């Protein structure tokens, strides 16, 4: 074989070997993280978006890229949001958790999102009651519509803590309430007419007064019983003294008087 052909064959062989080596290194150095089935990364208008819509998730994925700007976890089966669920997403701007089965939000679930998050969608879940502390320091506009809310002071405090998405307030409807006439009404309509926290306070005050009156009545009853019982014992003792001979009776009476004094 001519020398020129040997050199050419050698160059082609080396090139193929190098390409194979680069491919192998690329496979070895690529992230080991495997996204859940149905989740993928994309870019929208220069923003990094992580989509997991309708992916049958039962919890918030743990390995979401920390430079994600938009996160879609809607239409899944997530039942609750634990503390620090989104702690490693400092650049998150939008978070969609709608159409899940979320019934509980732990305090601190949105910790780390206060500075940048501007949109949070929790509509169409199973939220009945959530502490206002769960949204502490959050500046995002929140959608809480289409949940089976219990209309009480706790919900009133929550609504006054967060900023609602424009047009979503009408979807916050009383599914249950201590006052039957509130069921089925928009919550903002209810609190426009009734301060539920004042109603709760009055109810608590009345309960405390009733309890205090009950204890006071028990103490008075015991004192009356005690006095009557002592009077009865004294009467019996006096009758006993009258039945004794005069000398012994005087001695007993003196002893009784001394005891009383």
């Amino acid at each position: 074989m001519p020398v020129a052909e040997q050199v050419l064959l050698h160059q082609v062989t080396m090139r193929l070997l190098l390409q194979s080596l680069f491919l192998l290194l690329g496979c070895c150095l690529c992230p080991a993280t495997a996204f859940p089935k149905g989740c993928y990364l994309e870019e929208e208008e220069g923003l990094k978006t992580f989509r997991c819509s309708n992916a049958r998730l039962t919890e918030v994925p743990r390995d979401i890229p920390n430079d994600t700007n938009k996160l879609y976890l809607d239409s899944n089966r997530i039942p609750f949001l634990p503390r620090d669920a989104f702690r490693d997403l400092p650049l998150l701007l939008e978070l969609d958790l709608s159409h899940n089965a979320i019934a509980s939000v732990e305090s601190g679930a949105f910790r780390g999102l206060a500075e940048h998050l501007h949109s949070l969608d929790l509509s169409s879940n199973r939220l009945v009651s959530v502490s206002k502390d769960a949204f502490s320091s959050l500046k995002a506009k929140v959608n809480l519509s289409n949940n089976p809310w219990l209309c009480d002071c706790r919900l009133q405090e929550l609504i006054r803590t967060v900023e609602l998405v424009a047009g979503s307030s009408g979807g916050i409807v009383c599914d249950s309430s201590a006052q039957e006439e509130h069921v089925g009404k928009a919550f903002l309509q209810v609190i426009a007419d009734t301060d539920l926290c004042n109603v709760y306070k009055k109810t608590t005050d009345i309960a405390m007064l009733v309890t205090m009156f009950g204890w006071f009545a028990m103490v008075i009853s015991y004192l009356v019983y005690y006095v009557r019982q002592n009077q009865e014992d004294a009467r019996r003792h006096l009758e006993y003294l009258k039945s004794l001979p005069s000398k012994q009776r005087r001695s007993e009476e003196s002893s009784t008087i001394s005891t009383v004094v």
Side-chain angles (χ1 to χ4, degrees), residues 102-119:
I102 300 171
S104 174
V105 180
E106 290 187 359
S107 180
F110 303 111
R111 183 158 47 194
L113 302 181
E115 293 301 321
H116 300 283
L117 191 71
H118 62 70
S119 176

Side-chain angles (χ1 to χ4, degrees), residues 26-215:
C27 293
C28 293
L29 295 176
C30 66
T33 301
F35 297 143
K37 185 179 179 180
C39 298
Y40 59 92
L41 277 169
E42 63 179 1
E43 191 166 319
E44 294 181 353
E45 300 176 353
L47 298 176
K48 292 187 177 180
T49 302
F50 189 67
R51 287 190 178 275
C52 285
S53 303
N54 201 22
R56 299 184 179 182
L57 299 177
T58 56
E59 63 179 2
V60 176
R62 298 180 181 179
D63 298 314
I64 301 170
N66 58 15
D67 59 349
T68 297
N69 302 126
K70 293 183 178 181
L71 177 57
Y72 292 90
L73 300 175
D74 55 300
S75 303
N76 284 289
R77 304 170 183 174
I78 300 171
F80 76 102
L81 300 178
R83 184 187 302 271
D84 295 324
F86 308 98
R87 181 183 57 186
D88 298 323
L89 302 173
L91 302 180
L92 196 63
L93 301 175
E94 296 181 16
L95 175 57
D96 189 347
L97 291 160
S98 63
H99 296 90
N100 273 280
I102 300 171
S104 174
V105 180
E106 290 187 359
S107 180
F110 303 111
R111 183 158 47 194
L113 302 181
E115 293 301 321
H116 300 283
L117 191 71
H118 62 70
S119 176
L120 172 59
D121 194 344
L122 283 166
S123 63
S124 301
N125 277 282
R126 299 178 184 175
L127 296 171
V128 175
S129 183
V130 179
S131 170
K132 64 178 181 179
D133 296 334
F135 298 85
S136 178
S137 302
L138 204 61
K139 300 175 182 177
K141 293 182 179 180
V142 184
N143 189 345
L144 298 172
S145 61
N146 299 321
N147 281 281
W149 290 110
L150 166 64
C151 290
D152 59 0
C153 179
R154 199 177 194 198
L155 180 57
Q156 181 173 312
E157 290 180 337
L158 172 62
I159 296 300
R160 289 177 175 174
T161 299
V162 302
E163 181 181 358
L164 297 176
V165 171
S168 68
S169 60
I172 303 175
V173 178
C174 299
D175 187 73
S176 59
S177 174
Q179 295 160 293
E180 190 66 27
E181 65 270 19
H182 294 162
V183 176
K185 290 185 178 180
F187 185 67
L188 291 190
Q189 178 186 347
V190 170
I191 61 175
D193 302 326
T194 307
D195 188 336
L196 296 179
C197 291
N198 277 344
V199 170
Y200 173 77
K201 185 176 183 299
K202 289 178 181 177
T203 303
T204 304
D205 290 344
I206 291 172
M208 289 180 64
L209 286 173
V210 170
T211 302
M212 291 176 63
F213 179 78
W215 279 104

